[in-house]
Amino acid sequence: MFLTEQQTIETKIKTFCEANGILLAALEWKPLPFNGEWGISTSFFATAAAESRLGKNIVVAKRAQEIAEQIKGQLGAEGFSRIEAVRGYLNLYFDTHKYSRRVVDTVLEQQGRFGSGPATGQQVMIEFSHPNTHKAFHVGHLRGTILGDSICRILDFAGYEVVRANYPGDMGLHVIKWLWGYLKYHNGEEPSADITKWMGEVYAEASKRLEENPDLETEVRGVYARWDQRDPEIVTLWERTREWSLEGFRQMYTALDVRFDVYYFNSQEEKPGKEIVDELIRSGIASDDRAQGGAVIVKIDEFLGLDKEQFRTAVVLRSDGTALYATEDLALTLHKFHDYPDLAKSLYLVDVRQSLHFTQVFKILEIAGHAEAQKCGHISYELVTLPGNVVMSSREGTVVLLEDLLREATSRARAEAQKKNPALTETQLESVAKAVGLGALKYPILARENTKMVTFDWQTALDFNGQAAPYIQYAHVRCNSILKKAQGDPQTLNFHRSPYEYELNPAEVQLIDMLSRFPDEVQRAAAEYKPLIIASIAYDIAKAFAGFYDACPVVQAEPRIRAARLRIVAATKQTLANSLALLGITAPEVM
RNA sequence: GCCCCUGUAGCUCAACGGAUAGAGCACCUGCCUUCUAAGCAGUAGGUUGUGGGUUCGAAUCCCGCCAGGGGCGCCA
């Protein structure tokens, strides 16, 4: 924001040092740790350290301070409100009023685009969620879905062209098992209102019965054989029941406010996958051990001549010639580039257990001469477990179902809203319950490092206080209340730029500081695929606003202060809304 | 055996190699006749698992060790 001033100063420092025989190390400018005033700073530790290495008898910290003081003595404060030399740092302070005004004006000019980055012209595909049809959708799946959605929103806002891809597992042993269980115990039944839940129950029952009576496995294998021969009854049933699941997913994604641009299905990658494997065999990359009762494998380390185990050996086709996940992933990877030839990156958001799998798939394709593979990457995240480190499993029934969680969160939010604000109409209650319930659910997942495990417990998931989405949403609502109250006031209606000539309260300076950080945080979050960064800044803004709200009357303030503060409130509301949007959380007007 | 992740306040977690390591929860003390108390202010809480190294400067980077979790030929 003050780049010109910074460059002028930098030139002066260089000139001074040259004239005085100081061998200046490269200058790095950083924002001052904010303490009520904004500014930038640089330090002279590197310069002093270099002198020390040349044999001069100096104490680095002391010498750095000495240089800082000398330079300070040479500089006029033009463009800055003041300059200080302290502990080896040279601190340049901005004029607080000017800076505040620049920040608030920028937000209000850019509105919904405040914080967004310039178009990069790069297209990026993110594959996420990939639920299994014929199974339940539980809280374990929620993390990948919520995380993927937020990463897409962030990348889009940061300037990328994002393609959201989903890859449901619509065929495999689990589906065969389901079909068997349906035919045997539920033939002719239609799904209930909670489609996915019902699908999951049928699956869990099939698993349980098989466990109780392993002899039934032969029947399941029979169904698999019929599928393999494309028995019309099985194929039709598969198509029909698969559609039930997909419809269930659509409903769930709508409820979660998550959307996709393109769907791939593993049933479609089976054939092309086998073709790629044939190609790998022909080119000598894969070895076909099927004649000896083995599978088709790629000894990647051996192929690359590595001594140490790194990529290891990958199985790309079962010994009976049927496709594995790896078979299909080989095809899918290329399929994506066929559909979107301009992809700069093709990313897979999948839990950490599959890291090796993806490095193998990409490496094999690279070896086979597919350069696109180098644009592929795996973004991994840790699991959501239940207390006691229990992994959620549909088969074992150790799951918290999304439907149940959503219902519980919404009804709790509704009860809370009714208690806190009895004036809400039925329609408002409805939407507040949805916004708050869903937000409360998403926030704790997003506000955590991707690589850290989440232990699900109902209490945390439904906690509406403290560092949580409702706190941020509430700040947004309070902004709205103030703005509403001020309607009709001429000073407000024509929101003209306020000069900020009064002495700014520390709380409002603090708040403006948080707003000013938002754009950089968006870029960081995009570069690292970390919604956590947005979750943090959103909370920090809300917290700063709460302090402002408490310390700074707006509507009651004298006219010129009132006008300026109204603009600050409007800018805060906007920035909160922008940041919540990146998390896929609704910013309500009332609650 | 090889590889990956994690270890920070009682608990759950933050902290682009920079200045005095910060929040929330829980506990304790205050604050609603005011723009919604889903809030605010205050008290208390730390040898950043451990031992070295690099650096002017390390929770952060490198190496060793300890503890927990995960992955490693036909599950997805």
PDB file of all heavy atoms in Angstrom, chain A residues 372-400:
ATOM      1  N   GLU A 372       1.750 -35.387 -18.413  1.00  0.00           N
ATOM      2  CA  GLU A 372       0.705 -34.777 -17.580  1.00  0.00           C
ATOM      3  C   GLU A 372       0.842 -35.196 -16.122  1.00  0.00           C
ATOM      4  O   GLU A 372       0.439 -34.474 -15.214  1.00  0.00           O
ATOM      5  CB  GLU A 372      -0.698 -35.190 -18.038  1.00  0.00           C
ATOM      6  CG  GLU A 372      -0.984 -35.024 -19.491  1.00  0.00           C
ATOM      7  CD  GLU A 372      -0.751 -36.322 -20.236  1.00  0.00           C
ATOM      8  OE1 GLU A 372       0.430 -36.745 -20.289  1.00  0.00           O
ATOM      9  OE2 GLU A 372      -1.716 -36.900 -20.748  1.00  0.00           O
ATOM     10  N   ALA A 373       1.384 -36.387 -15.928  1.00  0.00           N
ATOM     11  CA  ALA A 373       1.464 -36.923 -14.569  1.00  0.00           C
ATOM     12  C   ALA A 373       2.215 -35.988 -13.644  1.00  0.00           C
ATOM     13  O   ALA A 373       1.994 -35.982 -12.434  1.00  0.00           O
ATOM     14  CB  ALA A 373       2.126 -38.297 -14.584  1.00  0.00           C
ATOM     15  N   GLN A 374       3.104 -35.183 -14.221  1.00  0.00           N
ATOM     16  CA  GLN A 374       3.876 -34.265 -13.377  1.00  0.00           C
ATOM     17  C   GLN A 374       3.039 -33.086 -12.885  1.00  0.00           C
ATOM     18  O   GLN A 374       3.455 -32.346 -12.003  1.00  0.00           O
ATOM     19  CB  GLN A 374       5.097 -33.776 -14.141  1.00  0.00           C
ATOM     20  CG  GLN A 374       6.106 -34.906 -14.307  1.00  0.00           C
ATOM     21  CD  GLN A 374       7.241 -34.556 -15.241  1.00  0.00           C
ATOM     22  OE1 GLN A 374       7.608 -33.404 -15.348  1.00  0.00           O
ATOM     23  NE2 GLN A 374       7.784 -35.552 -15.907  1.00  0.00           N
ATOM     24  N   LYS A 375       1.871 -32.917 -13.495  1.00  0.00           N
ATOM     25  CA  LYS A 375       0.984 -31.846 -13.041  1.00  0.00           C
ATOM     26  C   LYS A 375       0.019 -32.355 -11.976  1.00  0.00           C
ATOM     27  O   LYS A 375      -0.850 -31.622 -11.510  1.00  0.00           O
ATOM     28  CB  LYS A 375       0.179 -31.308 -14.222  1.00  0.00           C
ATOM     29  CG  LYS A 375       1.040 -30.645 -15.282  1.00  0.00           C
ATOM     30  CD  LYS A 375       0.186 -30.208 -16.451  1.00  0.00           C
ATOM     31  CE  LYS A 375       1.044 -29.593 -17.538  1.00  0.00           C
ATOM     32  NZ  LYS A 375       0.267 -29.382 -18.779  1.00  0.00           N
ATOM     33  N   CYS A 376       0.135 -33.630 -11.625  1.00  0.00           N
ATOM     34  CA  CYS A 376      -0.799 -34.222 -10.679  1.00  0.00           C
ATOM     35  C   CYS A 376      -0.236 -34.176  -9.261  1.00  0.00           C
ATOM     36  O   CYS A 376       0.969 -34.259  -9.064  1.00  0.00           O
ATOM     37  CB  CYS A 376      -1.080 -35.677 -11.047  1.00  0.00           C
ATOM     38  SG  CYS A 376      -1.900 -35.825 -12.629  1.00  0.00           S
ATOM     39  N   GLY A 377      -1.115 -34.060  -8.329  1.00  0.00           N
ATOM     40  CA  GLY A 377      -0.661 -34.037  -6.944  1.00  0.00           C
ATOM     41  C   GLY A 377      -1.743 -34.535  -6.002  1.00  0.00           C
ATOM     42  O   GLY A 377      -2.935 -34.489  -6.312  1.00  0.00           O
ATOM     43  N   HIS A 378      -1.295 -35.031  -4.887  1.00  0.00           N
ATOM     44  CA  HIS A 378      -2.223 -35.533  -3.874  1.00  0.00           C
ATOM     45  C   HIS A 378      -2.221 -34.574  -2.692  1.00  0.00           C
ATOM     46  O   HIS A 378      -1.173 -34.288  -2.127  1.00  0.00           O
ATOM     47  CB  HIS A 378      -1.753 -36.934  -3.430  1.00  0.00           C
ATOM     48  CG  HIS A 378      -2.511 -37.479  -2.270  1.00  0.00           C
ATOM     49  ND1 HIS A 378      -1.917 -38.223  -1.280  1.00  0.00           N
ATOM     50  CD2 HIS A 378      -3.823 -37.382  -1.926  1.00  0.00           C
ATOM     51  CE1 HIS A 378      -2.814 -38.573  -0.386  1.00  0.00           C
ATOM     52  NE2 HIS A 378      -3.985 -38.071  -0.748  1.00  0.00           N
ATOM     53  N   ILE A 379      -3.365 -34.032  -2.366  1.00  0.00           N
ATOM     54  CA  ILE A 379      -3.486 -33.242  -1.145  1.00  0.00           C
ATOM     55  C   ILE A 379      -4.070 -34.181  -0.105  1.00  0.00           C
ATOM     56  O   ILE A 379      -5.189 -34.670  -0.264  1.00  0.00           O
ATOM     57  CB  ILE A 379      -4.451 -32.051  -1.311  1.00  0.00           C
ATOM     58  CG1 ILE A 379      -4.073 -31.201  -2.514  1.00  0.00           C
ATOM     59  CG2 ILE A 379      -4.460 -31.194  -0.050  1.00  0.00           C
ATOM     60  CD1 ILE A 379      -5.084 -30.087  -2.799  1.00  0.00           C
ATOM     61  N   SER A 380      -3.310 -34.442   0.933  1.00  0.00           N
ATOM     62  CA  SER A 380      -3.813 -35.426   1.890  1.00  0.00           C
ATOM     63  C   SER A 380      -4.345 -34.748   3.146  1.00  0.00           C
ATOM     64  O   SER A 380      -3.955 -33.645   3.492  1.00  0.00           O
ATOM     65  CB  SER A 380      -2.705 -36.415   2.266  1.00  0.00           C
ATOM     66  OG  SER A 380      -1.757 -35.785   3.089  1.00  0.00           O
ATOM     67  N   TYR A 381      -5.240 -35.438   3.781  1.00  0.00           N
ATOM     68  CA  TYR A 381      -5.750 -34.941   5.058  1.00  0.00           C
ATOM     69  C   TYR A 381      -5.941 -36.128   5.986  1.00  0.00           C
ATOM     70  O   TYR A 381      -6.076 -37.267   5.535  1.00  0.00           O
ATOM     71  CB  TYR A 381      -7.066 -34.181   4.881  1.00  0.00           C
ATOM     72  CG  TYR A 381      -8.178 -35.000   4.279  1.00  0.00           C
ATOM     73  CD1 TYR A 381      -9.058 -35.716   5.094  1.00  0.00           C
ATOM     74  CD2 TYR A 381      -8.341 -35.064   2.914  1.00  0.00           C
ATOM     75  CE1 TYR A 381     -10.066 -36.480   4.550  1.00  0.00           C
ATOM     76  CE2 TYR A 381      -9.351 -35.825   2.351  1.00  0.00           C
ATOM     77  CZ  TYR A 381     -10.206 -36.525   3.169  1.00  0.00           C
ATOM     78  OH  TYR A 381     -11.194 -37.285   2.627  1.00  0.00           O
ATOM     79  N   GLU A 382      -5.929 -35.852   7.255  1.00  0.00           N
ATOM     80  CA  GLU A 382      -6.055 -36.920   8.244  1.00  0.00           C
ATOM     81  C   GLU A 382      -7.515 -37.309   8.456  1.00  0.00           C
ATOM     82  O   GLU A 382      -8.433 -36.624   8.028  1.00  0.00           O
ATOM     83  CB  GLU A 382      -5.432 -36.480   9.573  1.00  0.00           C
ATOM     84  CG  GLU A 382      -4.027 -37.013   9.790  1.00  0.00           C
ATOM     85  CD  GLU A 382      -3.977 -38.545   9.937  1.00  0.00           C
ATOM     86  OE1 GLU A 382      -5.037 -39.188  10.012  1.00  0.00           O
ATOM     87  OE2 GLU A 382      -2.856 -39.085   9.964  1.00  0.00           O
ATOM     88  N   LEU A 383      -7.688 -38.383   9.147  1.00  0.00           N
ATOM     89  CA  LEU A 383      -9.023 -38.937   9.331  1.00  0.00           C
ATOM     90  C   LEU A 383      -9.817 -38.252  10.437  1.00  0.00           C
ATOM     91  O   LEU A 383      -9.251 -37.558  11.282  1.00  0.00           O
ATOM     92  CB  LEU A 383      -8.910 -40.413   9.706  1.00  0.00           C
ATOM     93  CG  LEU A 383      -8.197 -41.314   8.707  1.00  0.00           C
ATOM     94  CD1 LEU A 383      -8.169 -42.732   9.235  1.00  0.00           C
ATOM     95  CD2 LEU A 383      -8.911 -41.249   7.376  1.00  0.00           C
ATOM     96  N   VAL A 384     -11.100 -38.470  10.389  1.00  0.00           N
ATOM     97  CA  VAL A 384     -11.960 -38.123  11.510  1.00  0.00           C
ATOM     98  C   VAL A 384     -12.236 -39.423  12.239  1.00  0.00           C
ATOM     99  O   VAL A 384     -12.736 -40.380  11.644  1.00  0.00           O
ATOM    100  CB  VAL A 384     -13.304 -37.529  11.034  1.00  0.00           C
ATOM    101  CG1 VAL A 384     -14.198 -37.219  12.225  1.00  0.00           C
ATOM    102  CG2 VAL A 384     -13.063 -36.283  10.214  1.00  0.00           C
ATOM    103  N   THR A 385     -11.859 -39.477  13.503  1.00  0.00           N
ATOM    104  CA  THR A 385     -12.089 -40.709  14.244  1.00  0.00           C
ATOM    105  C   THR A 385     -13.063 -40.453  15.384  1.00  0.00           C
ATOM    106  O   THR A 385     -13.386 -39.311  15.700  1.00  0.00           O
ATOM    107  CB  THR A 385     -10.779 -41.251  14.846  1.00  0.00           C
ATOM    108  OG1 THR A 385     -10.235 -40.248  15.710  1.00  0.00           O
ATOM    109  CG2 THR A 385      -9.774 -41.561  13.757  1.00  0.00           C
ATOM    110  N   LEU A 386     -13.513 -41.521  15.990  1.00  0.00           N
ATOM    111  CA  LEU A 386     -14.384 -41.410  17.153  1.00  0.00           C
ATOM    112  C   LEU A 386     -13.519 -41.516  18.398  1.00  0.00           C
ATOM    113  O   LEU A 386     -12.401 -42.027  18.336  1.00  0.00           O
ATOM    114  CB  LEU A 386     -15.423 -42.536  17.115  1.00  0.00           C
ATOM    115  CG  LEU A 386     -16.404 -42.434  15.950  1.00  0.00           C
ATOM    116  CD1 LEU A 386     -17.212 -43.708  15.810  1.00  0.00           C
ATOM    117  CD2 LEU A 386     -17.330 -41.237  16.137  1.00  0.00           C
ATOM    118  N   PRO A 387     -14.001 -41.001  19.524  1.00  0.00           N
ATOM    119  CA  PRO A 387     -13.214 -41.066  20.756  1.00  0.00           C
ATOM    120  C   PRO A 387     -12.671 -42.470  20.990  1.00  0.00           C
ATOM    121  O   PRO A 387     -13.371 -43.456  20.764  1.00  0.00           O
ATOM    122  CB  PRO A 387     -14.225 -40.673  21.834  1.00  0.00           C
ATOM    123  CG  PRO A 387     -15.185 -39.786  21.132  1.00  0.00           C
ATOM    124  CD  PRO A 387     -15.287 -40.321  19.726  1.00  0.00           C
ATOM    125  N   GLY A 388     -11.398 -42.544  21.403  1.00  0.00           N
ATOM    126  CA  GLY A 388     -10.768 -43.838  21.590  1.00  0.00           C
ATOM    127  C   GLY A 388     -10.063 -44.277  20.315  1.00  0.00           C
ATOM    128  O   GLY A 388      -9.704 -45.427  20.153  1.00  0.00           O
ATOM    129  N   ASN A 389      -9.911 -43.333  19.391  1.00  0.00           N
ATOM    130  CA  ASN A 389      -9.226 -43.596  18.134  1.00  0.00           C
ATOM    131  C   ASN A 389      -9.903 -44.693  17.315  1.00  0.00           C
ATOM    132  O   ASN A 389      -9.257 -45.537  16.704  1.00  0.00           O
ATOM    133  CB  ASN A 389      -7.758 -43.952  18.392  1.00  0.00           C
ATOM    134  CG  ASN A 389      -6.917 -43.732  17.155  1.00  0.00           C
ATOM    135  OD1 ASN A 389      -7.282 -42.934  16.293  1.00  0.00           O
ATOM    136  ND2 ASN A 389      -5.820 -44.445  17.061  1.00  0.00           N
ATOM    137  N   VAL A 390     -11.221 -44.672  17.304  1.00  0.00           N
ATOM    138  CA  VAL A 390     -11.984 -45.641  16.526  1.00  0.00           C
ATOM    139  C   VAL A 390     -12.261 -45.055  15.145  1.00  0.00           C
ATOM    140  O   VAL A 390     -12.831 -43.970  15.022  1.00  0.00           O
ATOM    141  CB  VAL A 390     -13.323 -45.970  17.226  1.00  0.00           C
ATOM    142  CG1 VAL A 390     -14.174 -46.889  16.358  1.00  0.00           C
ATOM    143  CG2 VAL A 390     -13.059 -46.583  18.583  1.00  0.00           C
ATOM    144  N   VAL A 391     -11.789 -45.746  14.115  1.00  0.00           N
ATOM    145  CA  VAL A 391     -12.028 -45.284  12.748  1.00  0.00           C
ATOM    146  C   VAL A 391     -13.463 -45.600  12.359  1.00  0.00           C
ATOM    147  O   VAL A 391     -13.961 -46.683  12.630  1.00  0.00           O
ATOM    148  CB  VAL A 391     -11.048 -45.976  11.771  1.00  0.00           C
ATOM    149  CG1 VAL A 391     -11.361 -45.581  10.337  1.00  0.00           C
ATOM    150  CG2 VAL A 391      -9.615 -45.617  12.119  1.00  0.00           C
ATOM    151  N   MET A 392     -14.103 -44.633  11.718  1.00  0.00           N
ATOM    152  CA  MET A 392     -15.485 -44.875  11.307  1.00  0.00           C
ATOM    153  C   MET A 392     -15.518 -45.875  10.168  1.00  0.00           C
ATOM    154  O   MET A 392     -14.769 -45.761   9.217  1.00  0.00           O
ATOM    155  CB  MET A 392     -16.128 -43.569  10.851  1.00  0.00           C
ATOM    156  CG  MET A 392     -16.425 -42.661  12.010  1.00  0.00           C
ATOM    157  SD  MET A 392     -17.488 -41.323  11.559  1.00  0.00           S
ATOM    158  CE  MET A 392     -16.909 -40.098  12.722  1.00  0.00           C
ATOM    159  N   SER A 393     -16.390 -46.854  10.300  1.00  0.00           N
ATOM    160  CA  SER A 393     -16.469 -47.885   9.286  1.00  0.00           C
ATOM    161  C   SER A 393     -17.913 -48.307   9.081  1.00  0.00           C
ATOM    162  O   SER A 393     -18.613 -48.659  10.019  1.00  0.00           O
ATOM    163  CB  SER A 393     -15.634 -49.085   9.730  1.00  0.00           C
ATOM    164  OG  SER A 393     -16.150 -50.273   9.180  1.00  0.00           O
ATOM    165  N   SER A 394     -18.346 -48.245   7.818  1.00  0.00           N
ATOM    166  CA  SER A 394     -19.727 -48.631   7.520  1.00  0.00           C
ATOM    167  C   SER A 394     -19.937 -50.087   7.866  1.00  0.00           C
ATOM    168  O   SER A 394     -20.996 -50.484   8.335  1.00  0.00           O
ATOM    169  CB  SER A 394     -20.014 -48.444   6.030  1.00  0.00           C
ATOM    170  OG  SER A 394     -19.443 -47.271   5.560  1.00  0.00           O
ATOM    171  N   ARG A 395     -18.876 -50.875   7.620  1.00  0.00           N
ATOM    172  CA  ARG A 395     -19.012 -52.300   7.822  1.00  0.00           C
ATOM    173  C   ARG A 395     -19.221 -52.608   9.294  1.00  0.00           C
ATOM    174  O   ARG A 395     -20.028 -53.436   9.672  1.00  0.00           O
ATOM    175  CB  ARG A 395     -17.753 -52.995   7.303  1.00  0.00           C
ATOM    176  CG  ARG A 395     -18.018 -54.344   6.711  1.00  0.00           C
ATOM    177  CD  ARG A 395     -16.799 -54.946   6.045  1.00  0.00           C
ATOM    178  NE  ARG A 395     -15.573 -54.709   6.769  1.00  0.00           N
ATOM    179  CZ  ARG A 395     -14.579 -53.960   6.290  1.00  0.00           C
ATOM    180  NH1 ARG A 395     -14.693 -53.393   5.112  1.00  0.00           N
ATOM    181  NH2 ARG A 395     -13.485 -53.778   6.985  1.00  0.00           N
ATOM    182  N   GLU A 396     -18.469 -51.898  10.132  1.00  0.00           N
ATOM    183  CA  GLU A 396     -18.542 -52.176  11.563  1.00  0.00           C
ATOM    184  C   GLU A 396     -19.676 -51.408  12.239  1.00  0.00           C
ATOM    185  O   GLU A 396     -19.948 -51.612  13.414  1.00  0.00           O
ATOM    186  CB  GLU A 396     -17.213 -51.802  12.228  1.00  0.00           C
ATOM    187  CG  GLU A 396     -16.021 -52.156  11.369  1.00  0.00           C
ATOM    188  CD  GLU A 396     -15.047 -53.067  12.090  1.00  0.00           C
ATOM    189  OE1 GLU A 396     -15.119 -53.127  13.316  1.00  0.00           O
ATOM    190  OE2 GLU A 396     -14.241 -53.704  11.395  1.00  0.00           O
ATOM    191  N   GLY A 397     -20.254 -50.490  11.494  1.00  0.00           N
ATOM    192  CA  GLY A 397     -21.349 -49.731  12.081  1.00  0.00           C
ATOM    193  C   GLY A 397     -20.879 -48.646  13.037  1.00  0.00           C
ATOM    194  O   GLY A 397     -21.672 -48.014  13.725  1.00  0.00           O
ATOM    195  N   THR A 398     -19.556 -48.409  13.098  1.00  0.00           N
ATOM    196  CA  THR A 398     -19.035 -47.351  13.975  1.00  0.00           C
ATOM    197  C   THR A 398     -19.034 -46.037  13.210  1.00  0.00           C
ATOM    198  O   THR A 398     -17.987 -45.548  12.799  1.00  0.00           O
ATOM    199  CB  THR A 398     -17.594 -47.666  14.416  1.00  0.00           C
ATOM    200  OG1 THR A 398     -16.832 -47.954  13.240  1.00  0.00           O
ATOM    201  CG2 THR A 398     -17.546 -48.827  15.357  1.00  0.00           C
ATOM    202  N   VAL A 399     -20.207 -45.486  12.998  1.00  0.00           N
ATOM    203  CA  VAL A 399     -20.297 -44.262  12.214  1.00  0.00           C
ATOM    204  C   VAL A 399     -21.238 -43.262  12.871  1.00  0.00           C
ATOM    205  O   VAL A 399     -22.137 -43.638  13.614  1.00  0.00           O
ATOM    206  CB  VAL A 399     -20.826 -44.529  10.791  1.00  0.00           C
ATOM    207  CG1 VAL A 399     -19.843 -45.344  10.000  1.00  0.00           C
ATOM    208  CG2 VAL A 399     -22.172 -45.215  10.845  1.00  0.00           C
ATOM    209  N   VAL A 400     -20.975 -41.993  12.600  1.00  0.00           N
ATOM    210  CA  VAL A 400     -21.958 -40.965  12.890  1.00  0.00           C
ATOM    211  C   VAL A 400     -22.445 -40.515  11.530  1.00  0.00           C
ATOM    212  O   VAL A 400     -21.673 -40.019  10.713  1.00  0.00           O
ATOM    213  CB  VAL A 400     -21.332 -39.792  13.657  1.00  0.00           C
ATOM    214  CG1 VAL A 400     -22.352 -38.677  13.835  1.00  0.00           C
ATOM    215  CG2 VAL A 400     -20.830 -40.259  15.009  1.00  0.00           C
TER     216      VAL A 400
END
